[in-house]
Amino acid sequence: MSFTENVKNELARLVRPTLAERRAELLALLRMSGSAVTGRSGAWGVEFSTGSSAVARRVLVSLKKDFGLVPSVMVRQGRRLRKKNVYTLAVPPSREGSEFLLSIGFLPMTGMDDADRCAAPEEKRAYLAGAFLGGGSISRPQSDYHLEMVTQSYRFAEEIREVMHAFRMAPRLTDRKNDYIVYIKDGDEASSFLQITGASQSYLEFENVRVMKDMRNQVNRQVNCETANLQKSVNAAVRQMHQIRAVRAHFDDQLLPKTVRETMELRMAYPNATLAELSALCGVSKSGLAHRFQKIKALADSLGGDE
């Protein structure tokens, strides 16, 4: 089971204690995966489709318990490669259906002011949960962080963004063919979204993996940095040994300054030591020791034998 399915199953089991919260969640679900249908008498009904049995059950229970509607349920096999079941719930056009759609603000002629309609923070949380249940996905935390919600309505996408802004998230919006995608690629925001919508177990799993991932990346960065520094030290030591041999081949040691002789002897005695280690051995500062190696380099350069 994918991480997205785990999140949706958890959200579909979550208890929303107030009718206002359940209404907000259902509104977003219908915006994402439902459509209003009209009959000859001008009455309205609704159809809702999903590939998740847990989400279908969530909508079915809400329609029955909260609004007294008894939708018909149809199950068919999907046409895509995995051929997952598709669940369709239908409330035929009726007076009750019209009243229901009007009460939640889903009738086409009522416009779309969902962000204002969901005034309380808990309603906004439920609304985002409904949007994710209807058309959301999130990548496994082991991979790159990516959460998105896909809708065919630009106006609805903007409503989702506005509600997310209320929780200090900064989602982006793009289009793909006939769809609009609201997405976030930041690990902190993806984690916050799970926490805000109430997917607490998924949030904990996401954070646990994130901590391990960040720790592993930090260790890798440190190892890479230390490896680079070690290679740099090795290259410097090899270059200094080459310069020292060139200087000794052309100059009498006794004619060289004492500090230069001592530094050459120190390097030859400890060919693998770093500058810091040599500094500790001879009691000369790193900058002072580096200055001595510069003198040795200058002597080697005068011979044309530093490289």
Side-chain angles (χ1 to χ4, degrees):
M1 185 178 294
S2 69
F3 187 64
T4 294
E5 291 173 318
N6 287 337
V7 174
K8 288 188 176 182
N9 286 339
E10 182 178 359
L11 290 175
R13 295 192 302 268
L14 186 65
V15 176
R16 301 283 176 191
T18 68
L19 177 60
E21 293 173 51
R22 297 193 295 273
R23 184 188 292 117
E25 179 182 280
L26 184 58
L27 174 59
L29 271 163
L30 294 180
R31 293 264 191 236
M32 188 66 79
S33 303
S35 59
V37 295
T38 186
R40 293 181 179 178
S41 62
W44 290 89
V46 65
E47 289 187 358
F48 173 82
S49 295
T50 178
S52 167
S53 60
V55 174
R57 191 181 309 111
R58 180 82 161 183
V59 174
L60 178 63
V61 170
S62 180
L63 289 174
K64 283 185 175 181
K65 289 190 174 182
D66 292 331
F67 302 99
L69 300 174
V70 183
S72 61
V73 180
M74 182 179 68
V75 183
R76 61 178 174 82
Q77 194 174 62
R79 297 179 181 178
R80 296 186 179 180
L81 183 62
R82 296 175 64 186
K83 295 185 177 180
K84 295 177 62 177
N85 287 337
V86 176
Y87 304 86
T88 300
L89 283 65
V91 175
S94 62
R95 178 178 58 81
E96 293 80 9
S98 299
E99 292 175 352
F100 157 67
L101 293 177
L102 182 62
S103 70
I104 68 171
F106 190 67
L107 279 175
M109 67 282 295
T110 59
M112 194 181 298
D113 57 350
D114 298 352
D116 293 333
R117 181 181 293 271
C118 302
E122 292 305 317
E123 294 175 51
K124 295 183 187 296
R125 295 173 189 271
Y127 185 84
L128 292 179
F132 185 85
L133 284 169
S137 64
I138 181 171
S139 61
R140 290 165 53 83
Q142 290 87 346
S143 61
D144 293 336
Y145 305 122
H146 184 85
L147 182 149
E148 68 177 33
M149 287 166 283
V150 183
T151 175
Q152 293 184 335
S153 168
Y154 174 78
R155 186 70 187 88
F156 179 43
E158 287 289 4
E159 291 293 325
I160 294 173
R161 291 184 70 197
E162 187 172 346
V163 174
M164 293 177 74
H165 288 157
F167 295 101
R168 300 185 182 280
M169 287 185 282
R172 297 180 181 179
L173 175 62
T174 188
D175 61 288
R176 183 190 304 149
K177 295 183 179 179
N178 295 323
D179 293 326
Y180 297 95
I181 299 98
V182 179
Y183 70 97
I184 48 182
K185 299 182 73 68
D186 178 77
D188 289 335
E189 291 199 350
S191 177
S192 295
F193 185 92
L194 295 175
Q195 188 178 30
I196 287 166
T197 54
S200 56
Q201 292 301 316
S202 298
Y203 163 74
L204 291 175
E205 179 183 349
F206 190 90
E207 281 298 287
N208 285 338
V209 174
R210 265 224 310 165
V211 169
M212 294 301 297
K213 184 178 176 181
D214 290 347
M215 185 178 299
R216 184 168 61 250
N217 290 341
Q218 183 177 352
V219 169
N220 288 340
R221 285 194 296 269
Q222 185 174 351
V223 169
N224 291 339
C225 181
E226 291 177 352
T227 300
N229 289 337
L230 179 60
Q231 187 62 51
K232 184 178 179 181
S233 297
V234 169
N235 292 342
V238 170
R239 187 168 58 251
Q240 290 162 1
M241 296 277 287
H242 180 76
Q243 293 165 352
I244 290 170
R245 292 191 184 99
V247 169
R248 282 185 165 179
H250 291 81
F251 292 97
D252 183 348
D253 282 8
Q254 298 305 316
L255 298 179
L256 297 173
K258 181 180 178 182
T259 55
V260 171
R261 293 201 310 271
E262 291 176 347
T263 302
M264 291 194 300
E265 291 170 359
L266 185 65
R267 169 51 78 193
M268 298 302 289
Y270 300 96
N272 298 320
T274 64
L275 185 65
E277 290 168 343
L278 292 179
S279 174
L281 287 169
C282 67
V284 178
S285 67
K286 286 174 60 177
S287 59
L289 204 57
H291 181 67
R292 293 183 182 184
F293 277 118
Q294 284 297 320
K295 289 184 177 179
I296 296 172
K297 180 180 183 301
L299 290 172
D301 286 348
S302 69
L303 303 171
D306 63 315
E307 297 296 339

